[in-house]
Amino acid sequence: MYLVGEALIGDGAELAHIDLLMGDKEGPIGSAFANSVSQLSMGHTPLLAVVRPNLLTKPATLVIPKVTLRDMSQVNEMFGPVQAAVAKAVADCVEEDVFKGIDIEGTVIMVSAFVHPDAKDYNKIYRYNYGATKLAIRRALDKFPDTKTLVFEKDRAAHGIMGFKVTRLWDAPYLQVAMDLVDMGKVAEVLKCVPQNDHVIIEAGTPLIKKFGLSVIGEIRKLRPNAFIIADMKILDTGNLEARMAADATADAVVVSGLAPASTIEKACSEARKVGIYSIVDMLNVQNPAKLVASLKVKPDIVELHRAIDVEESAHAWGDIPAIKKAAGGKLLVATAGGIRVDVVKDALKAGADILVVGRAITASKDIEHAADEFLDQLNRDEIDQFRVMTDF
């Protein structure tokens, strides 16, 4: 038996985070248990979990401090409320028959416990560590999470301690605000006025990048740290290099032109996947987007059906969006761009669009916030709380 569990409970300095290993005494967990007891490390001295002095919990459990213990106050927290909480949680699991079918005497548990140096409240330290240990045990025994839960949840919640979220596109449709601007003052105004909404994407347009370089992504990030930001570079060559440049500038997606050689598109898409950003193929002047997508060995994450600004007097033509998605194997977002107005939003969504790219209808509006809100209302999507810390699934 080799089981792994993890749980985070609480808040503030007393927050508890438990990493847990459970296994047979005669197996690798048992060997690690014995080695930890016999090979001490300064500031990380492991201790057997006892309910009270002279009353060892079962299965035998070893508590290992994650944070270096530098003074007696930290030592007292670890040897007091943390040790007691872990031991009591394990003992209560025995009473509640959580270990049903498991040889209690033949099993050992290793608990790596976090206590912040600023933690002071013993009551909270105890209660948070008790709850986290108990939850980690149940998760280990349930082999939580299964792959279905993992894939479903991975983009839906931000890391509770990281302090910002890396937005992913899992709840289409979205409004993409295209900033084809050359004035940083205007950029700042747009970013200030566009609503903070989980369904808003910010695009650093090609003119903006050409004038200020990729450093403009960082400037946008200062004003909208949690935004999904697209670098519309319209890459035509050196696809892998330029995709990595966009990622290094903290962009969440990079645009490659559909007119580029297939090898360039594929390299850009492959590099984007390596560095964890989205690849977008702009189909401006591409006659058969579905055929191009089908021919690519590496598929993009997003295809943008793009009517050029210079020909916006022509009628909207969304093309065969279902055929494009089918050519990509079904897992593809399609964006529509070029002169999008509020009155055509429903038509675009009905045609299968996942992202509506809107430029001057928002950025040149006298009331930017109101203009953006009008488009968002048409999407009919609720806000998403991606900062939740899930303990129940």
Side-chain angles (χ1 to χ4, degrees), residues 36 41 66 84 101 115 151 193 213 216 219 252 356 366:
S36 295
S41 173
K66 288 184 185 180
V115 177
V151 172
C193 294
V216 76
E219 296 304 310
D252 295 291
L356 300 174
K366 293 180 179 179

Side-chain angles (χ1 to χ4, degrees), residues 323-390:
I324 297 171
K325 291 184 177 182
K326 183 178 179 181
K331 193 174 182 180
L332 179 80
L333 297 176
V334 174
T336 57
I340 301 292
R341 298 290 185 266
V342 172
D343 60 349
V344 301
V345 169
K346 294 298 185 184
D347 291 337
L349 296 178
K350 186 176 180 180
D354 303 292
I355 302 170
L356 300 174
V357 185
V358 181
R360 290 167 298 163
I362 292 176
T363 61
S365 173
K366 293 180 179 179
D367 189 339
I368 293 171
E369 182 177 3
H370 176 71
D373 275 332
E374 283 192 307
F375 282 97
L376 288 170
D377 287 343
Q378 295 294 310
L379 301 185
N380 194 28
R381 270 292 188 272
D382 293 329
E383 284 285 336
I384 311 158
D385 178 13
Q386 296 192 42
F387 273 106
R388 74 195 194 282
V389 178
M390 295 294 291

Side-chain angles (χ1 to χ4, degrees), residues 165-283:
K165 64 182 178 183
V166 178
T167 301
R168 308 294 284 178
L169 307 181
W170 58 271
D171 191 39
Y174 292 90
L175 170 65
Q176 179 174 322
V177 179
M179 297 194 296
D180 292 310
L181 307 169
V182 291
D183 178 352
M184 284 304 297
K186 184 63 176 178
V187 168
E189 179 189 357
V190 171
L191 294 175
K192 180 181 178 181
C193 294
V194 169
Q196 297 277 355
N197 189 294
D198 292 310
H199 290 88
V200 169
I201 295 170
I202 302 297
E203 175 196 321
T206 309
L208 187 62
I209 292 175
K210 283 187 174 181
K211 180 159 186 178
F212 297 105
L214 281 171
S215 62
V216 76
I217 303 294
E219 296 304 310
I220 295 172
R221 186 71 69 191
K222 290 176 183 177
L223 297 172
R224 300 290 286 258
N226 297 322
F228 188 97
I229 302 174
I230 295 174
D232 187 5
M233 298 171 68
K234 292 188 175 64
I235 297 170
L236 284 165
D237 197 6
T238 60
N240 54 340
L241 172 61
E242 296 195 29
R244 183 169 289 272
M245 288 168 60
D248 289 347
T250 77
D252 295 291
V254 64
V255 179
V256 56
S257 172
L259 299 176
S263 61
T264 297
I265 298 173
E266 290 166 351
K267 287 179 180 178
C269 293
S270 179
E271 192 67 25
R273 192 166 299 166
K274 285 180 186 177
V275 295
I277 67 173
Y278 284 67
S279 56
I280 303 174
V281 176
D282 187 332
M283 294 296 182

Side-chain angles (χ1 to χ4, degrees), residues 112-125:
S112 181
F114 168 83
V115 177
H116 195 283
D118 293 337
K120 304 296 181 187
D121 189 326
Y122 274 33
N123 198 308
K124 286 184 178 180
I125 293 172

Side-chain angles (χ1 to χ4, degrees), residues 291-312:
K291 183 179 179 180
L292 173 59
V293 171
S295 71
L296 295 173
K297 296 176 183 176
V298 184
K299 309 298 185 188
D301 299 297
I302 302 171
V303 161
E304 184 172 322
L305 303 179
H306 195 160
R307 186 178 64 166
I309 291 175
D310 293 337
V311 295
E312 282 184 2

Side-chain angles (χ1 to χ4, degrees), residues 1-4 20-36 60 62 106-111:
M1 179 175 61
Y2 193 126
L3 300 176
V4 180
L20 180 146
L21 299 177
M22 186 187 326
D24 301 321
K25 279 184 180 178
E26 305 302 325
I29 303 298
S31 297
F33 189 102
N35 287 335
S36 295
L62 195 67
T107 300
V108 291
I109 300 174
M110 301 182 70
V111 172

